[in-house]
Amino acid sequence: MISLTKLTKIFPSAQEPITAVDDINLTIPAGEIFGVIGYSGAGKSTLIRLLNQLEEPTSGEVSVDGKTISKLSKQELRFARQEIGMIFQHFNLLWSRTVAENIAFPLEIKGEDKEKKEQRINELIDLVGLTGRGEAYPSQLSGGQKQRVGIARALANNPKVLLCDEATSALDPKTTDSILDLLTDINQKLGLTIVLITHEMHVIRKICHSVAVMEEGRFVEQGDVLNVFKHPKEAMTKEFVKQVTEPDDTEEALQHLFDGAHQGHLCRLTFTGNDAKRTLINDVIRSYDVTVNILQGKLSQTRHGTYGTLFIQMQGEPPAIEEVLAYIRRHEVDVEVISHD
Amino acid sequence: MTDRLVGSAWMMQNVNWENMWEATLETLYMSVIALTFTFLFGILLGLLLFLSDRGQLWENKTVNAITAAYVNIFRSIPFIILIVLLIPFTRTIMGTMLGPSAALPALIIGAAPFYARLVEIALREIDKGVIEAAKSMGANNRQIITKVLLPESMPALISGITVTSIALISYTAMAGVIGAGGLGDLAYRDGFQRSNTDITLVATFIVLIIVFIFQYIGDFLTRKIDKR
Ligand SMILES: Nc1ncnc2c1ncn2[C@@H]1O[C@H](COP(=O)(O)OP(=O)(O)OP(=O)(O)O)[C@@H](O)[C@H]1O
Ligand SMILES: [Mg+2]
């Protein structure tokens, strides 16, 4: 549905030019929710704005639904944009218009007739769960409701692609989840391809099929979400994965807890899907001469299955410990020894 | 003597109400017509200033420089001098130098640049994100102007024209210099020059009322359309 070829964007500046997007190649199949995660300044916004040509590429090509966006005339580009919806971090609604009128905006631009417009507006208001709020003004809505209007507006002309630029970053966790549920719902109901950018791994985990980790204009790691969660290669990816698998202070707390004492082996186990159901720890205790102390565990749900981490403390003779580690690894569970004495 | 003067002012015995009414209508006529044209002309100039600026829809250095120069020059010339300077121009386009219509070109040319700056400021206040959202939906420039820029800045445009209207009313008082009539003219000729304090006071009072009414209407409209 979307393909990027050697896409580069360089902003000229007084000192040295800034390469915001650096030679990116990417293909996103139709119907997929593709997430891009990265820290501030990584070039995420620039990348997503290149997709509908709010930013012109310095070189390379963007093609959406078979059209090479960068080669269109001004008029053709306007038509193409009607097929690419976009939602924003700060919603960008027209405050002088009601909810219904805001949703009407893209329909007016396309020149839909009155009857069709009204019918479509009502459909959309229901779809995003704002039934009865059509006559309200944006200033009378909560952040989550504003984003729902933004989504309805973006969907008005039945786009094939939806671009989300930090769509949940201005919302609290609960509202974020409700908006993410809505996006998942839309993705399934309408078969829409969604590209979303974020700095929260939680968002990726919850709704994305694939993810790319972006740093300084490049993708440092890319793949389907479960794989990236299970085997993060780059340091940056590991940091992001930690955002959802362990509370911020886990390592600090463990260090503190076992400061200088007989700590044995502190290990982090990472497992997916059905592994979670197996009685691995039980088997270990029964078969080997070690003691196991469970410190912390967490299960997370991704679109492709469950993913979990478990922190344990193990004590025993070194050969036994080695055997246990090998045993665990044989069962396709990743073990990392954080520290041992 | 003083007593008699004050007394006559209170009795308003020198006031010719027919003249006063006529002068009031002349002032209203000049204000309303000039205000209408100032509104249209000022919005056009303000849009031009805004849109031709760097990073905007019609970025154009030359157009921007010329518009800015025009606005700055005409905003700086004192109104009384502007009227005199514009006499030949007025005669050409209005075909007369008599009556309130003769004041209109100077009033509009003097007030529009002032208003244009207020329009430009109002347009700058619009969140760039909203313009971007409109672009992302495939809006063309005309649609962005009529559906985003003007409606979104309307409360500021209205409160700007209210401020401008007060300035305009005071300009109309000076238009008497070229024989345009109106309350200012009446207060000066019949009131001041003939020592009829009551006429001056009544004329002033009516001007104040007109100002209050304009202000009231302006504030009312601004509040009514401001949904922020
Ligand atoms: N219009 C512009 N002109 C010049 N430089 C720009 C422009 N837009 C972005 N940049 C630069 O490009 C780089 C990437 O910016 P971008 O906004 O894409 O980052 P981001 O990943 O979206 O960050 P954030 O998470 O803070 O939104 C930054 O160094 C930024 O300063
Ligand atoms: Mg950004």
Side-chain angles (χ1 to χ4, degrees), chain A residues 166-200:
Chain A
E166 305 259 7
T168 57
S169 300
L171 305 174
D172 61 56
K174 203 171 159 215
T175 316
T176 294
D177 280 353
S178 77
I179 293 293
L180 294 178
D181 288 340
L182 176 61
L183 290 176
T184 311
D185 199 35
I186 289 166
N187 166 255
Q188 281 164 353
K189 259 193 211 153
L190 312 174
L192 204 66
T193 309
I194 300 180
V195 181
L196 68 84
I197 65 174
T198 181
H199 56 260
E200 295 169 305

Side-chain angles (χ1 to χ4, degrees), chain A residues 134-151:
Chain A
E135 298 312 308
Y137 283 91
S139 60
Q140 301 164 322
L141 302 178
S142 70
Q145 290 172 325
K146 284 185 194 141
Q147 194 58 288
R148 285 169 189 270
V149 180
I151 291 172

Side-chain angles (χ1 to χ4, degrees), chain B:
Chain B
M1 173 71 195
T2 323
D3 281 354
R4 260 186 55 208
L5 240 182
V6 172
S8 78
W10 283 117
M11 302 294 290
M12 301 188 223
Q13 53 189 239
N14 302 316
V15 177
N16 176 334
W17 291 104
E18 216 163 283
N19 285 351
M20 190 64 76
W21 178 238
E22 196 176 323
T24 306
L25 287 182
E26 282 166 354
T27 293
L28 280 176
Y29 169 82
M30 284 190 279
S31 306
V32 170
I33 304 275
L35 199 60
T36 310
F37 281 95
T38 299
F39 186 66
L40 298 175
F41 196 36
I43 284 181
L44 283 181
L45 272 179
L47 273 173
L48 209 56
L49 273 177
F50 174 75
L51 293 172
S52 62
D53 202 4
R54 252 192 60 195
Q56 302 297 346
L57 296 182
W58 292 340
E59 179 171 340
N60 186 322
K61 270 209 174 90
T62 324
V63 172
N64 194 260
I66 293 174
T67 323
Y70 168 80
V71 164
N72 287 338
I73 290 170
F74 280 89
R75 220 160 45 118
S76 311
I77 302 175
F79 185 66
I80 194 89
I81 297 173
L82 186 66
I83 295 182
V84 179
L85 282 176
L86 285 178
I87 287 179
F89 172 75
T90 304
R91 195 170 280 143
T92 319
I93 65 160
M94 305 298 290
T96 174
M97 273 321 285
L98 287 174
S101 296
L104 292 177
L107 286 171
I108 296 162
I109 290 172
F114 174 77
Y115 183 49
R117 278 293 181 204
L118 298 182
V119 172
E120 190 199 0
I121 292 168
L123 294 172
R124 273 191 207 296
E125 290 286 300
I126 299 173
D127 185 359
K128 272 194 120 160
V130 179
I131 300 171
E132 195 144 84
K135 274 193 208 164
S136 80
M137 288 180 264
N140 60 29
N141 288 348
R142 184 179 51 79
Q143 289 166 324
I144 291 177
I145 293 169
T146 57
K147 288 178 188 292
V148 179
L149 295 180
L150 295 180
E152 288 291 289
S153 61
M154 199 44 84
L157 296 184
I158 300 286
S159 72
I161 199 67
T162 311
V163 172
T164 310
S165 76
I166 311 300
L168 252 180
I169 293 168
S170 82
Y171 286 174
T172 65
M174 282 184 250
V177 186
I178 54 166
L183 289 166
D185 199 19
L186 188 77
Y188 181 70
R189 273 186 233 276
D190 292 4
F192 176 70
Q193 284 185 337
R194 297 192 195 152
S195 301
N196 295 326
T197 318
D198 51 351
I199 295 186
T200 312
L201 286 177
V202 171
T204 309
F205 184 69
I206 296 176
V207 168
L208 283 180
I209 290 188
I210 296 177
V211 168
F212 287 154
I213 292 175
F214 274 65
Q215 183 77 50
Y216 178 81
I217 296 175
D219 289 349
F220 174 78
L221 287 176
T222 307
R223 230 171 313 125
K224 197 174 145 106
I225 55 176
D226 197 343
K227 307 289 186 202
R228 220 174 327 211

